[in-house]
């Protein structure tokens, strides 16, 4: 069948499939997979004051009034973001170079742990920190979460030694009470611990839930179901291979958890585990990610576009600072990628506005059309934030990055060549530039592809004009400036003898 007057749709990004006759696209760079097509990707734009070192943890908390606050950890300090600057919470810490701060919130208590130091507690909105346990001893830990009405610590170093495959939980309804496990006091308060099978590796994530939660190890997942009494939690390992290999990669959307195992991307609902990157992006990601820094792979949730973003360092990254993103639309089951530099991503909340900020916006407080108590000024909207390599907080509100799409390779005319006269990009919005280039070769077995010069659109026809005879061909579309949707390309051509 001749591929004359061909309409090519930019299908799903499938870099793991063979390049020849790829049913999707072989490249989808600097874009978001939304609405069955692709939207532009805006680069990270940082602002405000810089912290003194690489950011290794960040968390958005809310107080009882609904106001939101951002807490940040570097290796030696914890901070509260206050306006455009940061308030040091006090204390000196010793986070290891390969470790990080992990956070969770229980009622009004924000909990932070970095394994090297005693877990810390902060009242949401407060600017001081103190040891988590006011009664008993909370073990040092790399992981933290909340299941039912208990705070869980995982990968622990406690009074009975270092046990990476152990979790310990607080007294019920009290994040700051940590009785010694197996004592009468602990049994009364339903506090306890669970040593999981060592063969499955260290605890790498804890996912919360009202009735049950999930504890991830490197090679297993266990469901902890609250039953109360002396047992407290019924523990069932329901996955014994595909655990969370990248210790900060798990992200929870409702009751569903997305994470990266040793062999790729998965999702679990606490009952089954389903691959989401197989024959799509798993091989690409695992080959591209520098796993020397696997703890620097961090996620965030773009609720507006129904996308999860993971940043990671590839082998060209400077000092292991993540320089790439892989992006998954969980509704459409589609992927894309981007190139951007950041120290870490985190699921955040929009910040509330101070009186000084409101005065700057409206000129004076009397001009504000709403009550100062209005929730409009409280913040709290789910958003994606990141810290750039400049140690500054930012949002993805910068300029649109140059998007690139490449089709698979087509045998455009099985009995000969195709004479291509033009290609019309189908792109909506107001980009500042659109080009198409053709990659061609005569043989697939022993000849490399060569892309010709990129061609801009002719104003009158909207076509990128060519006069090329192509046997095996690939189309590369590049879009500069913001655009709404990249849909595909229309090809104008006819069979030829190649002369």
């Amino acid at each position: 069948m001749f591929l004359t007057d061909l309409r090519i749709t930019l299908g799903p990004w499938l870099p793991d499939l063979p390049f020849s006759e790829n049913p999707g696209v072989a490249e989808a760079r600097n874009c978001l997979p939304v609405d069955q097509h692709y939207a532009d990707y805006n680069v990270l734009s940082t602002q405000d004051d810089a912290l003194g070192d690489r950011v290794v943890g960040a968390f958005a908390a809310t107080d009882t009034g609904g106001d939101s606050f951002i807490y940040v950890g570097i290796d030696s300090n914890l901070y509260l973001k206050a306006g455009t600057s940061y308030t040091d919470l006090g204390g000196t810490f010793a986070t290891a170079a390969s470790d990080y701060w992990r956070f969770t919130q229980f009622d009004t208590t924000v909990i932070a742990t970095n394994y090297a130091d005693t877990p810390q507690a902060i009242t949401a909105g407060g600017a001081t920190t103190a040891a988590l346990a006011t009664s008993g001893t909370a073990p040092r830990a790399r992981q933290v979460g909340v299941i039912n009405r208990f705070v869980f610590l995982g990968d622990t170093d406690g009074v009975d030694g270092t046990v990476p495959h152990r979790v310990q939980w607080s007294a019920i309804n009290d994040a700051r009470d940590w009785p010694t496990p197996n004592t009468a006091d602990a049994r009364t308060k339903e506090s306890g611990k669970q040593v999981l099978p060592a063969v499955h590796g260290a605890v790498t994530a804890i996912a919360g839930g009202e009735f049950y939660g999930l504890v991830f190890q490197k090679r297993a997942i266990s469901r902890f179901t609250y039953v109360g009494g002396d047992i407290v939690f019924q523990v069932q390992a329901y996955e014994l291979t595909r655990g969370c290999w990248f210790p900060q990669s798990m992200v929870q959307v409702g009751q569903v958890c997305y994470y990266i195992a040793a062999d790729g991307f998965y999702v679990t609902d606490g009952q089954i585990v389903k691959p989401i990157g197989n024959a799509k992006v798993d091989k690409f990601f695992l080959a591209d990610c520098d796993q020397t820094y696997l703890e620097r792979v961090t996620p965030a949730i773009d609720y507006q576009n129904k996308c999860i973003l993971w940043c990671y360092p590839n082998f060209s990254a400077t000092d292991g600072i993540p320089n790439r993103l892989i992006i998954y639309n969980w509704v459409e089951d589609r992927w894309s990628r981007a190139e951007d530099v950041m120290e870490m991503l985190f699921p955040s909340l929009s910040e509330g506005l101070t009186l000084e900020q409101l005065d700057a916006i409206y000129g004076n407080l009397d001009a504000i059309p709403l009550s100062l108590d209005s929730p409009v000024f409280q913040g709290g909207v789910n958003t994606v934030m990141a810290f750039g390599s400049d140690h500054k907080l930012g949002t993805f509100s910068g300029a649109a990055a140059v998007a690139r799409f490449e089709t698979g390779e087509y045998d455009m005319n099985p009995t000969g060549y195709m004479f291509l006269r033009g290609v019309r990009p189908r792109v909506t919005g107001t980009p500042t530039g659109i080009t198409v280039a053709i990659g061609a070769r005569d043989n697939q077995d022993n000849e490399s592809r060569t892309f010709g010069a990129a061609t801009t659109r002719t104003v009158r026809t909207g076509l990128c004009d060519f006069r090329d005879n192509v046997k095996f061909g690939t189309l590369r579309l590049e879009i500069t400036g913001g655009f709404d949707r990249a849909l595909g390309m229309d090809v104008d051509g006819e069979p030829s003898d190649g002369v």
Side-chain angles (χ1 to χ4, degrees):
M1 178 179 178
F2 297 137
L3 297 180
T4 56
D5 299 324
L6 174 67
R7 169 158 284 189
I8 297 174
T9 297
L10 296 178
W13 179 46
L14 302 172
D16 287 0
L17 294 189
F19 182 73
S20 178
E21 306 295 337
N22 190 305
V25 292
E27 177 66 290
R29 184 196 307 174
N30 292 334
C31 57
L32 299 175
V34 296
D35 300 338
Q36 297 300 322
H37 298 294
Y38 296 93
D40 59 5
Y41 168 82
N42 296 94
V43 300
L44 178 67
S45 176
T46 60
Q47 56 202 359
D48 301 337
D49 290 351
L51 289 160
D53 206 342
R54 183 172 68 90
V55 174
V56 294
F59 182 74
T62 56
D63 65 11
T64 54
D67 292 306
S68 58
F69 305 89
I70 294 175
Y71 290 94
V72 185
I74 62 173
D75 58 352
S76 58
N77 299 83
L78 287 169
Y79 297 93
L80 167 66
K81 187 175 183 297
T84 60
S85 60
Y86 294 87
T87 299
D88 191 330
L89 302 187
T92 301
F93 306 100
T95 312
S98 60
D99 273 323
Y100 39 83
W101 284 99
R102 295 288 270 171
F103 296 84
T104 193
Q105 183 170 352
F106 182 91
D107 293 340
T108 61
T109 301
V110 176
I111 300 154
T113 185
N114 68 346
Y115 190 71
D117 299 289
T118 300
Q120 299 292 298
I122 310 149
T123 299
T128 58
T129 186
L132 171 62
T134 55
S135 177
T137 302
R140 295 186 300 169
R142 284 193 172 91
Q143 306 300 332
V144 63
V146 175
I147 299 177
N148 192 267
R149 295 294 298 168
F150 303 85
V151 174
F152 270 63
L153 293 168
D155 188 350
T156 59
D157 183 0
V159 293
D160 51 352
T162 301
V163 185
H165 49 284
R166 175 179 57 197
V167 292
Q168 184 174 333
W169 58 90
S170 68
I172 189 169
N173 288 322
D174 192 341
R176 309 197 66 174
D177 189 357
W178 290 82
T180 301
N182 299 320
T183 62
D185 185 35
R187 286 189 288 272
T188 299
K189 298 173 180 176
E190 298 188 359
S191 179
K193 68 178 181 178
Q194 179 72 42
V195 178
L196 299 164
V199 68
H200 297 145
V203 173
T204 51
I206 300 169
E210 183 178 359
F211 301 107
Y212 69 86
L214 306 179
V215 174
F216 293 77
Q217 293 175 260
K218 296 184 75 171
R219 289 176 291 272
I221 310 173
S222 296
R223 184 171 57 251
F224 279 59
T225 303
Y226 176 71
V227 294
D230 290 339
I231 297 174
V232 189
F233 284 98
Q234 183 181 66
V235 180
Q236 179 182 7
Y238 69 95
E239 169 57 54
L240 301 178
T241 304
R242 300 164 295 183
C244 184
W245 188 260
F246 292 71
Q248 296 203 84
S249 69
M250 192 277 291
V251 63
Q252 190 170 354
V253 181
Q255 293 297 312
V256 179
C257 298
Y258 298 84
Y259 67 98
I260 309 175
D263 62 341
F265 292 86
Y266 289 87
V267 60
T268 182
D269 60 359
Q271 304 290 331
I272 62 172
V273 175
K274 176 184 175 182
I276 57 174
N278 182 56
K280 296 177 181 178
V281 302
D282 284 346
K283 292 179 180 178
F284 169 87
F285 171 78
L286 294 172
D288 197 46
C289 178
D290 183 355
Q291 295 191 39
T292 305
Y293 304 98
L294 60 81
E295 76 282 351
R296 299 190 185 184
V297 178
T298 54
I301 308 167
D302 180 352
Y303 284 98
Q304 180 178 355
N305 290 306
K306 307 300 186 289
C307 289
I308 301 169
L309 299 81
W310 285 270
C311 72
Y312 68 94
N314 87 326
F315 292 94
S316 65
T318 301
D319 298 326
I321 300 299
N323 60 340
R324 296 201 170 175
L325 294 159
I326 192 163
I327 304 164
Y328 177 64
N329 186 310
W330 71 80
V331 175
E332 300 180 5
D333 192 28
R334 296 171 66 240
W335 296 86
S336 69
R337 72 184 189 99
E339 296 184 353
D340 209 347
V341 179
M342 61 202 68
E343 290 178 339
M344 69 165 297
L345 272 168
F346 68 106
S348 189
L349 300 169
S350 62
E351 298 176 85
L353 296 174
T354 65
L355 291 178
E356 290 78 9
Q357 290 169 322
L358 289 172
D359 187 58
I361 293 171
Y362 290 100
N364 64 76
L365 297 180
D366 292 334
I368 299 175
L370 301 171
S371 166
L372 293 177
D373 296 326
S374 171
V376 171
F377 305 133
Q378 289 183 315
V381 177
N382 288 306
T383 189
V384 179
M385 290 187 181
F387 281 87
S389 57
D390 56 3
H391 314 320
K392 293 182 178 182
L393 181 63
T395 58
F396 292 84
S397 56
V402 177
R404 172 179 287 188
F405 304 93
E406 289 182 9
T407 69
E409 185 173 65
Y410 296 98
D411 183 354
M412 292 194 167
N413 179 0
T415 62
Y417 287 78
M418 180 68 68
F419 179 70
L420 295 185
R421 283 188 292 266
V423 177
R424 178 183 289 110
R426 292 189 292 124
V427 179
T428 64
T430 56
T432 56
I434 297 178
T435 64
V436 174
I438 297 175
R441 57 181 173 174
D442 291 342
N443 298 289
Q444 291 181 313
D445 54 351
N446 60 1
E447 187 177 352
S448 61
R449 282 185 302 134
T450 300
F451 276 94
T455 302
T456 59
R457 291 185 296 180
T458 301
V459 174
R460 182 178 62 85
T461 64
L463 288 168
C464 297
D465 294 323
F466 298 95
R467 295 183 64 82
D468 291 354
N469 283 294
V470 178
K471 175 57 177 171
F472 297 102
T474 303
L475 299 180
R476 174 187 287 168
L477 169 64
E478 288 195 342
I479 309 170
T480 303
F483 62 94
D484 293 333
R485 296 291 182 268
L487 309 175
M489 292 170 277
D490 295 330
V491 179
D492 177 22
E494 62 185 24
S496 77
D497 57 11
V499 178

